[in-house]
Amino acid sequence: MTMTIQSLLQERKYPFIITLSFLVLSFLLLLLISSSQSPFSSSTTTTTTTTFLSHSSPSSSSPTVTPPPPPLLHSLSQDLQSPDFSSFDSPGEETKKGDEDEKVMDLKWEACRGPGAVDYIPCLDNWKAIKALKSRRHMEHRERHCPRPSPRCLVPLPVGYRVPVRWPKSRDMIWFDNVPHPKLVEYKKDQNWVQKSGDYMVFPGGGTQFKDGVSKYITFIEKTLPIIKWGENIRVILDVGCGVASFGGHLLDRDVITMSFAPKDEHEAQIQFALERGIPATLSVIGTQKLSFPDNAYDLIHCARCRVHWDADGGKPLMELNRILRPGGFYIWSATPVYRNDERDQSVWKAMEALTKAICWEVIAKTVDVTGIGLVIYKKPVSSSCYEERSQNVPQMCNSETRNISWYSPLERCLPRLPHTVVWPPPWPERLIAVPNRLSTGSNAQELFATDTKHWSSLVSDIYMTRLGISWSNFRNVMDMNAHYGGFAAALVHQPLWVMNVIPVHQPDTLPIIFDRGLIGIYHDWCESLSTYPRTYDLLHSAFLFSNLSNRCDIVDVVVEMDRVLRPDGWVLIVDVKDMISKLGMIFRSLHWSVSVFEEKYLVGKKSFWRPNGGLVER
């Protein structure tokens, strides 16, 4: 006969009831304690004493870098469980409050306002600071002028915005409504930069110097100088004044990764077009400050009618290219002074001839193709001996004993000393995993570098790709906000995406190693806005950035910047300490993002289309 609680009460068996209740409560308590244990619930941190390359290094030799230990991530476990995404909110839906995983920070959001709000770049659109400039002679108005404090408005969406066209189709066509700037269509209609076709902007592969198309132009370069082997000895390229980045876009087929850059100027939205197409690009200008790249970084630099006066201000612009060009690297200049004989062009050519001779650049090829377009190819020296043998010491050797990272650093009219020993990196793809030339020669440096590479390879393949529920097939433009040695990017090299590796200026300077590996990156201070357009990245990744950043600036401001550069339906993947993960989750939920936390260390977030008050603003 079944015994019920009611019958027990009727029979007044109170001692039995009390004993039974105690047993049930004890069982529930044991179950709760047991369920709180997990493979990632604790970790052991090993402290390793390591010498880093600081933001200053001896100028008389190539900087070397000792790799840090791998980020403090937990060891892999065979019984990892996939995270629960059932708590994801629909776009625009109110986020529930209560449980730890659903807490929302109490923040009031407003949309940015003004005629250019949808394309707002705080550090390049600070019109108050720009109007106060005493001079614009050296492109000061195109440089960074960050507002203080950082703005906290959310950039609205352009009317008709939709999920971008996927790669590789996006290389040749994008949605017009995503970047509705038609001026270049008319301005460059005779050069086939870009065309409007129905709902699309189409990129035929033309350019000012690409009369027969960019593919034939690339082949023409290789035939002009056969020692240039795309995707083998030439892997990392800088394209100056890149237009819509068709040169870099078509070189991707040849295993070449090109950093395309141009200023935000009257060539409306050219970098925005490039990034919407899925081509690596950044906003920058050669004005009064150094570019945010390390010394001796690029295998080859290209300029096709890039409208830079290389001999201006005593040759500072060309000496900046000399700084970032790898010893033995090539500079390709395709411009009218190379092949026209009128007085103005010949005056420019003579000035360029004198300047390149003074900095010991050797002309190794000069030619004109069947369309009448010409180019010249220079080679940078591999040692400082030529500098010492010049009849005149102009420009002088840089006399500073240290080389600082190029962040708000003024351009110099001098030549940095070259490394005592110059070794060209191994051919791609061996270069990616080879020991970088500028790695420290310390006793455990190579071992630590190999461990770091293996660590990221395992983490990406065993957790990131399979355990976090992330749609990797939708990603094209990826940013690693705290890239260390580019291990995250290296682990993704076989995916149809590219990674912008960012080295925060308050962290050890490891960007030279990233370039030595055949990857690209920039310096940046995450307490400021990035020099890129809104809605330009599909995924933002960081490993232990925020816990080190919180003592320098407000994390809310960094999240606002992440929201600005991330596309709707884009993702964030953040690894950090538990308290920081919790704080970030609350901020992201206040933006109506979908958020899931995995094992208290991995935050996965997905941006929605939500904007304050609808957020759709006419341009």
Side-chain angles (χ1 to χ4, degrees), residues 45-350:
T45 302
T46 302
T47 303
T48 305
T49 303
T50 311
T51 303
F52 295 98
L53 171 68
S54 67
H55 289 171
S56 300
S57 59
S59 61
S60 61
S61 62
S62 178
T64 58
V65 187
T66 300
L72 303 180
L73 302 179
H74 303 281
S75 60
L76 302 179
S77 174
Q78 297 300 319
D79 56 350
L80 289 175
Q81 300 296 316
S82 297
D84 179 13
F85 286 86
S86 61
S87 63
F88 272 13
D89 309 308
S90 301
E93 187 178 334
E94 289 295 330
T95 308
K96 297 179 181 179
K97 298 182 180 180
D99 293 340
E100 182 68 26
D101 290 343
E102 295 181 348
K103 287 184 178 180
V104 181
M105 189 170 288
D106 185 18
L107 296 167
K108 305 297 183 183
W109 298 111
E110 293 184 357
C112 301
R113 302 182 183 279
V118 292
D119 293 332
Y120 180 47
I121 306 173
C123 291
L124 297 181
D125 294 334
N126 186 356
W127 300 113
K128 182 178 179 180
I130 292 172
K131 289 178 181 178
L133 290 172
K134 296 180 180 180
S135 171
R136 300 189 180 192
R137 181 182 176 188
H138 299 295
M139 304 292 286
E140 290 91 343
H141 57 300
R142 307 292 187 199
E143 296 180 325
R144 292 172 58 85
H145 304 280
C146 297
R148 298 287 187 271
S150 299
R152 283 196 176 179
C153 61
L154 302 183
V155 174
L157 300 177
V159 175
Y161 182 87
R162 63 188 86 179
V163 174
V165 176
R166 300 299 184 196
W167 182 268
K169 184 180 178 182
S170 64
R171 190 193 71 174
D172 301 321
M173 58 195 310
I174 63 174
W175 296 116
F176 172 77
D177 285 340
N178 286 13
V179 192
H181 293 289
K183 290 183 180 179
L184 272 181
V185 175
E186 180 63 26
Y187 185 57
K188 296 291 186 180
K189 63 183 179 181
D190 296 330
Q191 299 175 11
N192 278 330
W193 278 32
V194 58
Q195 300 170 355
K196 174 78 164 57
S197 178
D199 292 337
Y200 295 97
M201 296 290 265
V202 178
F203 302 87
T208 308
Q209 302 295 93
F210 316 146
K211 291 188 176 181
D212 278 349
V214 66
S215 293
K216 290 186 177 180
Y217 176 80
I218 290 170
T219 302
F220 169 59
I221 292 173
E222 198 169 29
K223 288 181 177 179
T224 300
L225 191 64
I227 61 173
I228 291 178
K229 299 185 184 299
W230 304 120
E232 295 181 29
N233 66 334
I234 302 298
R235 162 66 181 174
V236 184
I237 289 180
L238 181 69
D239 190 15
V240 183
C242 61
V244 294
S246 290
F247 181 70
H250 282 258
L251 277 169
L252 288 165
D253 292 339
R254 307 189 185 212
D255 271 343
V256 173
I257 187 160
T258 304
M259 178 78 82
S260 300
F261 89 88
K264 187 181 183 184
D265 61 11
E266 65 273 12
H267 283 169
E268 189 181 43
Q270 53 189 334
I271 294 299
Q272 194 174 17
F273 282 134
L275 289 163
E276 185 73 14
R277 296 173 70 186
I279 301 170
T282 187
L283 285 163
S284 193
V285 66
I286 302 178
T288 67
Q289 299 170 358
K290 293 180 181 180
L291 299 171
S292 57
F293 311 124
D295 293 3
N296 306 325
Y298 289 97
D299 305 334
L300 184 149
I301 298 177
H302 173 259
C303 159
R305 293 284 289 275
C306 54
R307 304 195 310 166
V308 178
H309 300 289
W310 296 115
D311 62 325
D313 199 14
K316 281 185 179 181
L318 193 67
M319 278 177 260
E320 175 62 0
L321 292 196
N322 179 76
R323 179 185 71 83
I324 62 176
L325 183 61
R326 185 177 295 279
F330 304 99
Y331 173 56
I332 299 176
W333 186 39
S334 179
T336 54
V338 177
Y339 54 90
R340 288 183 182 172
N341 293 319
D342 59 84
E343 183 178 349
R344 179 181 177 278
D345 283 320
Q346 284 304 297
S347 175
V348 173
W349 172 253
K350 289 179 181 178

Side-chain angles (χ1 to χ4, degrees), residues 394-451:
V394 180
Q396 295 182 352
M397 304 300 296
C398 298
N399 57 13
S400 59
E401 294 183 359
T402 59
R403 302 292 297 165
N404 297 319
I405 67 166
S406 50
W407 182 249
Y408 291 121
S409 300
L411 289 182
E412 296 178 305
R413 194 185 294 115
C414 64
L415 300 173
R417 290 192 177 276
L418 298 178
H420 293 306
T421 302
V422 173
V423 179
W424 195 266
W428 182 263
E430 178 188 345
R431 173 175 182 170
L432 181 68
I433 58 174
V435 176
N437 294 332
R438 284 179 276 191
L439 189 68
S440 168
T441 56
S443 59
N444 63 342
Q446 293 189 20
E447 180 182 352
L448 288 173
F449 178 79
T451 300

Side-chain angles (χ1 to χ4, degrees), residues 2-55:
T2 304
M3 183 177 293
T4 65
I5 297 297
Q6 184 177 2
S7 64
L8 289 172
L9 291 172
Q10 289 174 351
E11 295 175 16
R12 298 185 178 182
K13 295 184 177 181
Y14 298 125
F16 180 83
I17 294 173
I18 293 172
T19 303
L20 179 62
S21 301
F22 177 79
L23 289 173
V24 171
L25 288 173
S26 299
F27 174 79
L28 290 175
L29 182 60
L30 287 171
L31 183 64
L32 181 62
I33 294 173
S34 175
S35 65
S36 68
Q37 305 302 316
S38 72
F40 285 3
S41 62
S42 62
S43 62
T44 301
T45 302
T46 302
T47 303
T48 305
T49 303
T50 311
T51 303
F52 295 98
L53 171 68
S54 67
H55 289 171

